[in-house]
Structure formats: structure tokens, C-alpha cells
Amino acid sequence: MSERINVMLSQETIAARVRELGAQITREYADRALVLVCVLKGSFVFASDLARAIDLPMRIDFLGVRSYGEGTESSGVVQITQDLSRPIALEDVLIVEDIVDTGLTIAHLMDLFRTRQPRSVKVASLLHKPARSKVEVKIDYLGFTIEDKFVVGYGLDFAEKYRNLPYIGVVERT
Ligand code: IMP
Ligand code: MG
């Protein structure tokens, strides 16, 4: 059995949307103490492009999270594999996610971060798969809503493969 990737969102389509989100965030966070939290590993590509599309002073930090095993189904258990390097008290935190699927990861991170008393916590996610939602989460800055297909590329993986694809695609087993 081999795998083929069908393009869902091209490099150009993603780049244009990331620029729009960056401009919107730049307008809305003017004069704020912005901390971009890149949720590893999946959002490392989106976060690095989004950071460069935001024209504001910011701090960037990383949070390691694991919610999937080797397969394509969420285990439902969110594990922090690496915490932030600094406190976020009184800061304006923007969590950057690759995809909100069941919503469990973001819901868990919002709860965790609120205990640290930031000034605000918002969410930017490149993708949203509403069909699989298990908990209601508010996505403040959303790239694209997609149908219920397992996608890879632009940071997203299938068993750690395909993170380096410059586009978002769907894995097809042939
Ligand atoms: P959630 O907790 O179910 O909302 O999903 C959390 C994480 O699962 C995301 O941040 C991704 O890392 C991963 N994930 C969900 N759907 C996909 C997908 O279609 N492809 C690759 N990873 C996914
Ligand atoms: Mg993720």
C-alpha cells in the first residue's frame, strides 16, 4: 500500500490568507504586549509565517503538546511535552495552532493558560474541521474551514511524515 497526496490548499492560497490574518492581528493588537505561542509540533510552519506577517513587537514562545498517537485519531488526552519558557502573567497571549479538530487541545490549553493570569488569551488556527468538534472553542483568527479529511503538510504530519510539504494535502492510500 502506498500513499499519494492530493493538494487541498496551495502554497499561494495559504500565503495570501496568512498575510490577511497577519494584517488583522497587527490592527487589533496595536500597543499590546503580544506573546505568540507556537503549539509544537504542528504549528511551527504556520507560526513562523504568521509571525513574519505581523508588524508588531512580540515575544515568541513554544509549547509542546501531544494529543495523537501514531494514528489519525485523537487519543483525547492532551499531554504537555514542553512548557513555555517564561510566565505569561499580564501579557496578551495568542495561541497559534495548526488545526482545531475535536477542539480538545485548544480547550485544554485555554484552561491551563487562564490559571497563569494573562491579560488576554486568543486563538489563531490555520484550519478548522467543524465536523469533528467535541467541545465548543472560539477561534479568533481562522485561516480555512475544511471538510472532515485527514490533512498533512505545512507543519501537519501523518505519523511524523509530510510536515515539510509547502502545501496542505490529503493523504490517499492507493
Ligand atoms: P484536537 O485536539 O482534536 O482539536 O486536535 C489537535 C491536534 O491534532 C492538532 O493540533 C493536530 O496536531 C492534530 N490533528 C488534527 N487533525 C489533523 C489532521 O487532519 N492532520 C494532521 N494532524 C491533525
Ligand atoms: Mg497541533
Side-chain angles (χ1 to χ4, degrees):
M1 202 167 73
S2 70
E3 290 161 11
R4 216 183 55 196
I5 311 293
N6 287 325
V7 179
M8 180 191 264
L9 297 166
S10 73
Q11 204 171 343
E12 294 72 24
T13 302
I14 297 169
R17 187 72 187 117
V18 171
R19 273 197 298 276
E20 288 175 358
L21 292 176
Q24 190 187 346
I25 292 165
T26 302
R27 283 195 304 275
E28 294 181 6
Y29 278 86
D31 307 320
R32 298 302 224 32
L34 180 57
V35 183
L36 221 64
V37 172
C38 170
V39 183
L40 298 171
K41 298 174 194 172
S43 79
F44 84 103
V45 178
F46 176 45
S48 68
D49 282 347
L50 185 64
R52 285 174 290 177
I54 299 172
D55 185 17
L56 290 174
M58 68 169 75
R59 204 156 75 64
I60 302 176
D61 210 338
F62 299 89
L63 185 78
V65 161
R66 182 157 55 213
S67 52
Y68 273 44
E70 290 294 295
T72 60
E73 280 300 311
S74 180
S75 63
V77 181
V78 183
Q79 202 186 332
I80 305 286
T81 58
Q82 182 192 313
D83 204 349
L84 299 176
S85 66
R86 290 224 224 152
I88 50 171
L90 303 178
E91 296 190 279
D92 290 295
V93 175
L94 182 59
I95 303 176
V96 181
E97 258 290 25
D98 49 358
I99 184 167
V100 175
D101 185 26
T102 63
L104 291 168
T105 304
I106 278 294
H108 181 85
L109 295 185
M110 293 295 278
D111 288 348
L112 173 71
F113 282 9
R114 284 199 185 109
T115 66
R116 300 178 183 187
Q117 262 111 55
R119 183 165 131 182
S120 67
V121 188
K122 286 191 177 182
V123 175
S125 182
L126 180 70
L127 305 173
H128 184 212
K129 247 193 247 179
R132 301 198 0 120
S133 170
K134 284 194 183 150
V135 286
E136 180 108 10
V137 292
K138 180 166 182 252
I139 304 172
D140 301 281
Y141 304 99
L142 174 64
F144 305 93
T145 298
I146 61 166
E147 54 184 310
D148 186 9
K149 295 219 163 114
F150 194 83
V151 291
V152 296
Y154 200 71
L156 291 105
D157 73 306
F158 171 55
E160 295 299 328
K161 274 195 298 186
Y162 306 120
R163 291 193 196 276
N164 58 318
L165 292 179
Y167 52 85
I168 298 278
V170 181
V171 185
E172 198 181 277
R173 273 152 241 186
T174 52

